[in-house]
Amino acid sequence: MKRPVSLDHVSSPRRPAPPPLEANDQLVAAVGTAAWAVALIVVLVLRDSLPAAERWWLWTCVAGLGLGIFGLWYVPRMKRARARAAERRAPGSTGKT
């Protein structure tokens, strides 16, 4: 009869997770929006050479561009709302804006 294998002795303590990285969210949204705009231009230039089954790429680029423009509008508002919420949670804050 074989004994079951146990790996309990192999485990090691885990290190704590690193803090999340901060990024310039508005720059990320702008670069993504610009990439979708370039893709839309390329698809429009090559539209006639695309097979009919691949023309959905045009609408994918339009949707990406539209979502990117929404992101450029939304990100600053989100950051301001988060800053106001953090200010209200801060010790000694009166909660009034």
Side-chain angles (χ1 to χ4, degrees):
M1 180 100 179
K2 249 181 160 178
R3 284 186 9 193
V5 177
S6 172
L7 298 177
D8 290 337
H9 65 283
V10 178
S11 65
S12 62
R14 295 184 182 257
R15 291 184 282 175
L21 295 175
E22 290 295 323
N24 183 346
D25 299 329
Q26 210 161 4
L27 178 63
V28 172
V31 169
T33 304
W36 280 115
V38 168
L40 178 62
I41 292 168
V42 169
V43 169
L44 285 173
V45 168
L46 300 175
R47 177 181 44 203
D48 293 333
S49 64
L50 286 174
E54 298 294 320
R55 300 241 168 106
W56 57 270
W57 278 108
L58 174 68
W59 296 108
T60 301
C61 295
V62 169
L65 184 61
L67 288 171
I69 291 169
F70 172 76
L72 288 172
W73 172 82
Y74 179 73
V75 166
R77 283 154 186 79
M78 176 191 65
K79 284 188 164 280
R80 284 195 299 269
R82 286 183 178 174
R84 284 192 303 266
E87 187 178 298
R88 284 192 302 268
R89 286 190 307 265
S93 175
T94 61
K96 296 179 183 175
T97 53

